[in-house]
Amino acid sequence: TPEGDGIPRVARAARTLAGALRQTGEFRTVWCGVAPGALAHAYGQLAKNAPILLDASERSKLAAASSEAALRARFEAVRRRLADPDGEIAARQLQDDPLNLSAVIAARLRGLAPAGGEAGTAATFEPSGGGGTEAVLMTQDGLERPHAMLVVEPLAPPTDQRGAAAAIGTVNRAIAAMAERYPGMGGWVVGPHRAYVENARRIMGDVTLISMLGTLAVLLAIGFYFRRASTALLCVIPPAVGVGVALGLAGAAHVTLPLLLLGFAGLLCGSTTDYGIQIIAECRRLARRAEAAGGVAAARGRGWDEQIPARAARRMLGPISLSVATSVTGFAALGLSAAPGLRALGL
């Protein structure tokens, strides 16, 4: 917030933002502070568990105060005060705090209080006006500008990319509406939902670029070897058909594929184009053999005829089948991994 905006105005803006987020129904929790009564109750619960707040030296003092002689002296001191005006109060204190730890615990609770930090960095709860019960957690930065904090828990977990993105969009729209109502106000969104969404978007851009570059590099390598662009395109047909069928089945079954798979598109293209390469290489070998044997096609200056692709496919059926089996076995082994991304890649 700009300088000159007071804490009450920032608190009102925070309550407005919290109310808008609650009305959407997309959040499990929208917390902006705690009422003074609830805070006092929390301190009371801490006081009941006072021993856990003590350090080693204080626990040694507690052991000394628990001795028979110390307890007898304390009871005797309170007995002498029973006739005094505050005797009833002293008796009640003895009942509630027989070891006289109230001073130590009170000091510890002051350190745990929202306003117990250093000057300029302490947090406070700004009480609500108009008889409300909701306070707002406030603090100030080094320039003494007030800030309010809201803790928001969406119904969608951070790993749900679509749900997390929708929740962040809702928060941003609520912040924009709040800023329009309170000019000069702003908001920052932090937390795992934002990190997941931003990482997913960054990964999506990276894997798309990497996959395109990897596939292009494979095509260039094949084209450089065979000296023909058409041959390189023919070699890419098997992986293109395989990827298309896999994506089609995943879409028909409404299966969400992890982003890791997209990053391996170039790898899959490079590892599966060898089937087409083997068929084309066998076709060229058979054509050279036919030309050397002086066949019918050799009379036309080439050793090519229409039956060569079929013969090459029959001859390479065994080697290609073995290559497919080894690839399937190797990728299927990734399905045994405990990491979801690797398991999805293998399956």
Side-chain angles (χ1 to χ4, degrees):
T1 62
E3 295 184 15
D5 284 347
I7 289 179
R9 183 169 182 266
V10 177
R12 289 195 302 270
R15 293 191 190 96
T16 300
L17 179 58
L21 294 176
R22 293 190 184 103
Q23 290 178 357
T24 63
E26 299 181 23
F27 302 93
R28 184 177 292 106
T29 302
V30 179
W31 183 92
C32 61
V34 60
L39 189 62
H41 176 72
Y43 290 162
Q45 294 299 317
L46 283 176
K48 291 181 179 179
N49 298 276
I52 65 174
L53 303 175
L54 304 179
D55 56 24
S57 62
E58 290 168 339
R59 283 196 293 270
S60 64
K61 295 179 182 178
L62 174 61
S66 304
S67 64
E68 181 179 356
L71 289 175
R72 185 180 294 111
R74 175 158 168 71
F75 274 73
E76 179 63 23
V78 173
R79 186 187 66 81
R80 294 175 180 176
R81 294 177 53 192
L82 290 179
D84 296 340
D86 60 345
E88 185 177 354
I89 298 177
R92 181 63 61 86
Q93 289 177 342
L94 177 63
Q95 179 182 353
D96 295 339
D97 185 16
L99 300 180
N100 196 22
L101 296 176
S102 58
V104 176
I105 301 305
R108 285 304 179 90
L109 291 179
R110 280 195 297 271
L112 294 175
E118 298 178 358
T121 62
T124 59
F125 285 112
E126 175 67 14
S128 60
T133 59
E134 185 177 45
V136 178
L137 181 60
M138 304 290 302
T139 188
Q140 290 182 331
D141 57 22
L143 299 177
E144 298 185 355
R145 294 176 299 188
H147 298 268
M149 185 183 77
L150 274 69
V151 179
V152 178
E153 181 185 4
L155 294 175
T159 53
D160 181 1
Q161 181 183 348
R162 293 182 180 178
I168 292 177
T170 300
V171 172
N172 289 333
R173 288 190 294 271
I175 292 176
M178 180 271 296
E180 183 176 354
R181 181 174 177 181
Y182 295 90
M185 297 289 182
W188 294 267
V189 179
V190 297
H193 289 76
R194 175 181 174 182
Y196 267 85
V197 171
E198 291 183 350
N199 287 339
R201 291 173 179 172
R202 183 165 51 250
I203 292 173
M204 181 72 73
D206 290 345
V207 298
T208 301
L209 178 61
I210 292 173
S211 299
M212 292 177 60
L213 292 178
T215 304
L216 180 61
V218 171
L219 289 173
L220 291 177
I222 298 174
F224 179 78
Y225 177 78
F226 287 111
R227 301 294 194 275
R228 287 185 179 181
S230 58
T231 303
L233 294 177
L234 286 175
C235 292
V236 178
I237 290 178
V241 172
V243 172
V245 171
L247 293 179
L249 293 176
H254 301 286
V255 176
T256 301
L257 299 177
L259 292 175
L260 184 63
L261 289 181
L262 299 178
F264 280 88
L267 172 62
L268 294 176
C269 181
S271 62
T272 52
T273 49
D274 55 345
Y275 308 144
I277 293 174
Q278 293 178 31
I279 294 292
I280 293 177
E282 181 65 14
C283 288
R284 297 179 69 179
R285 191 181 67 82
L286 292 177
R288 287 194 299 268
R289 178 186 295 180
E291 183 178 2
V296 176
R300 301 197 300 264
R302 289 184 173 183
W304 178 264
D305 65 65
E306 290 77 3
Q307 300 300 321
I308 286 180
R311 290 200 300 269
R314 288 193 298 268
R315 291 175 64 90
M316 298 305 298
L317 179 62
I320 290 179
S321 299
L322 181 59
S323 178
V324 170
T326 55
S327 298
V328 169
T329 303
F331 280 103
L334 296 177
L336 303 176
S337 173
L342 291 178
R343 186 168 59 249
L345 175 63
L347 298 179

